[in-house]
Amino acid sequence: QSWESSLRKGRLPLGKRDFVKDDVWPEEPLFGKVTDVMSRLGLPRLIRRHPEIKSSVLLEVARIVVEFTRSRERGKLVVVEDQQEDEVEDDPWAIEDDDTNDSVVFEYRPMLEGELDKLADQLAGNIQDQFGS
């Protein structure tokens, strides 16, 4: 609702004062990246002159938020270092079996702040790609 009413007025939501609750949506760093791109493109003024594109812009913002949230919750896929390998090196009597270490193990780990910032940049770039000239 805050996004729609702000865009209808030809401006972007300005943070906490524009939201009914204290929570800014989407959360940072995505909020800042999205509003920066939209401001550079002049989308709020364009939407004020052409309100028929407002739904398309808001749907793109929602799609980006969903993708950001899913990626943040899932985390990043990393290779797990094999702990058995360390144990074998510590045991001088152990017989090495190269066939047992052929499989690579992966797991998801939380994304770091810099990685979330980079993801937000990439997703906000989708607005540039879709609505930029």
Side-chain angles (χ1 to χ4, degrees), residues 24-38:
V24 173
W25 183 89
E27 64 187 56
E28 291 293 351
L30 190 58
F31 178 80
K33 304 290 183 181
V34 166
T35 55
D36 285 349
V37 168
M38 291 177 73

Side-chain angles (χ1 to χ4, degrees), residues 70-116:
R70 283 183 181 162
S71 296
R72 185 195 65 225
E73 289 174 357
R74 181 180 58 229
K76 63 180 177 180
L77 190 62
V78 295
V79 175
V80 178
E81 298 203 14
D82 190 5
Q83 294 175 345
Q84 288 180 347
E85 189 175 299
D86 294 338
E87 293 171 7
V88 169
E89 290 176 10
D90 294 340
D91 185 358
W93 302 103
I95 298 172
E96 269 191 53
D97 184 7
D98 290 338
D99 294 337
T100 60
N101 291 330
D102 286 346
S103 63
V104 178
V105 179
F106 296 94
E107 73 179 21
Y108 284 100
R109 295 206 176 140
M111 296 177 81
L112 302 174
E113 189 175 323
E115 293 166 330
L116 288 172

Side-chain angles (χ1 to χ4, degrees):
Q1 184 178 4
S2 299
W3 277 88
E4 185 177 9
S5 62
S6 295
L7 290 173
R8 201 175 328 114
K9 296 173 187 173
R11 64 178 187 82
L12 293 166
L14 301 173
K16 288 186 178 186
R17 73 177 195 190
D18 279 332
F19 292 89
V20 176
K21 297 179 182 177
D22 286 340
D23 298 333
V24 173
W25 183 89
E27 64 187 56
E28 291 293 351
L30 190 58
F31 178 80
K33 304 290 183 181
V34 166
T35 55
D36 285 349
V37 168
M38 291 177 73
S39 179
R40 276 197 316 266
L41 293 174
L43 279 177
R45 289 188 309 272
L46 183 64
I47 291 169
R48 187 171 185 196
R49 286 181 289 197
H50 302 280
E52 65 274 9
I53 68 166
K54 180 180 63 182
S55 293
S56 296
V57 172
L58 290 175
L59 283 172
E60 181 62 17
V61 170
R63 189 193 66 72
I64 287 170
V65 171
V66 168
E67 190 171 339
F68 180 82
T69 303
R70 283 183 181 162
S71 296
R72 185 195 65 225
E73 289 174 357
R74 181 180 58 229
K76 63 180 177 180
L77 190 62
V78 295
V79 175
V80 178
E81 298 203 14
D82 190 5
Q83 294 175 345
Q84 288 180 347
E85 189 175 299
D86 294 338
E87 293 171 7
V88 169
E89 290 176 10
D90 294 340
D91 185 358
W93 302 103
I95 298 172
E96 269 191 53
D97 184 7
D98 290 338
D99 294 337
T100 60
N101 291 330
D102 286 346
S103 63
V104 178
V105 179
F106 296 94
E107 73 179 21
Y108 284 100
R109 295 206 176 140
M111 296 177 81
L112 302 174
E113 189 175 323
E115 293 166 330
L116 288 172
D117 201 51
K118 185 176 178 180
L119 176 63
D121 266 335
Q122 291 171 345
L123 293 174
N126 292 346
I127 294 172
Q128 171 76 39
D129 295 343
Q130 187 166 350
F131 298 102
S133 50

